[in-house]
Amino acid sequence: MKDLTTPISNEDLSNLNVGDQITISGTIYTGRDAALPQLVKLIKNDEVPFDLSGSVIMHTAFSDAGIAPTTSNKEEIESTMPILSEHGVKIHIGKGMLSESTVKSLNENNSIFVITPPVAALLTNKVLEKECVLFENEGMEAMFKLKVENIPGIVAIKDGEVI
């Protein structure tokens, strides 16, 4: 098990391989179908109110019922991954397979894709604090900043290699 703490550096990623089991602690952001395309618009307008460098985004909504990854290859999510990676997101957490072009983009931007078990009770137990940071009008699909401890995952895509 390899333990990572945000922000994630290029050096952190250089020590990982496809198939590695990891944990992530620190600050992560949530986003899915409703929030991520809006975040890309903010990036294009240079209006993101926080630094994405070395960040982690989990493809999930957040509700009182908890968190669990959503399918990352939905158009509204996967289409944002290249732009988010270009602007500093180092780890995308979700589930499902990604297209060859997204795998290539992750590789070009030294970002990785991590899968995590869709076990809401386990993942929710790892959340220490939450704060809505963008798109509050989207309800549970708003973008949240979470303080987490030991979110588990498996490196599924790195350096163009797919698990």
Side-chain angles (χ1 to χ4, degrees):
M1 186 74 68
K2 296 182 179 181
D3 300 321
L4 301 173
T5 301
T6 62
I8 305 299
S9 68
N10 287 332
E11 184 178 339
D12 291 331
L13 295 185
S14 72
N15 295 318
L16 298 177
N17 297 300
V18 168
D20 283 350
Q21 294 180 22
I22 64 169
T23 63
I24 300 170
S25 297
T27 299
I28 68 170
Y29 295 94
T30 66
R32 53 175 288 167
D33 314 47
L36 293 178
Q38 292 181 74
L39 179 59
V40 166
K41 287 179 185 174
L42 291 180
I43 288 171
K44 290 179 178 179
N45 293 326
D46 197 26
E47 296 176 346
V48 179
F50 47 85
D51 188 4
L52 288 171
S53 300
S55 64
V56 174
I57 293 182
M58 178 181 256
H59 304 151
T60 188
F62 193 96
S63 73
D64 292 336
I67 61 172
T70 193
T71 304
S72 300
N73 63 4
K74 293 184 223 174
E75 175 64 25
E76 299 85 357
I77 295 174
E78 186 170 358
S79 67
T80 68
M81 293 172 73
I83 295 163
L84 294 172
S85 295
E86 286 173 28
H87 287 85
V89 175
K90 289 295 179 189
I91 300 177
H92 303 266
I93 304 172
K95 66 179 185 179
M97 295 300 296
L98 301 177
S99 70
E100 286 183 35
S101 64
T102 301
V103 171
K104 181 180 176 188
S105 175
L106 291 173
N107 185 39
E108 290 170 354
N109 293 294
N110 197 29
S111 294
I112 65 173
F113 180 61
V114 170
I115 55 175
T116 191
V119 184
L122 169 69
L123 297 176
T124 304
N125 189 45
K126 305 293 185 182
V127 176
L128 305 175
E129 297 175 14
K130 70 174 180 174
E131 174 189 0
C132 183
V133 292
L134 288 172
F135 321 121
E136 187 173 357
N137 61 314
E138 297 293 351
M140 69 182 202
E141 286 203 28
M143 190 162 208
F144 285 84
K145 176 181 175 181
L146 306 179
K147 182 177 178 185
V148 300
E149 187 170 22
N150 298 323
I151 291 282
I154 299 170
V155 177
I157 298 173
K158 182 179 184 288
D159 296 332
E161 186 180 344
V162 179
I163 198 167

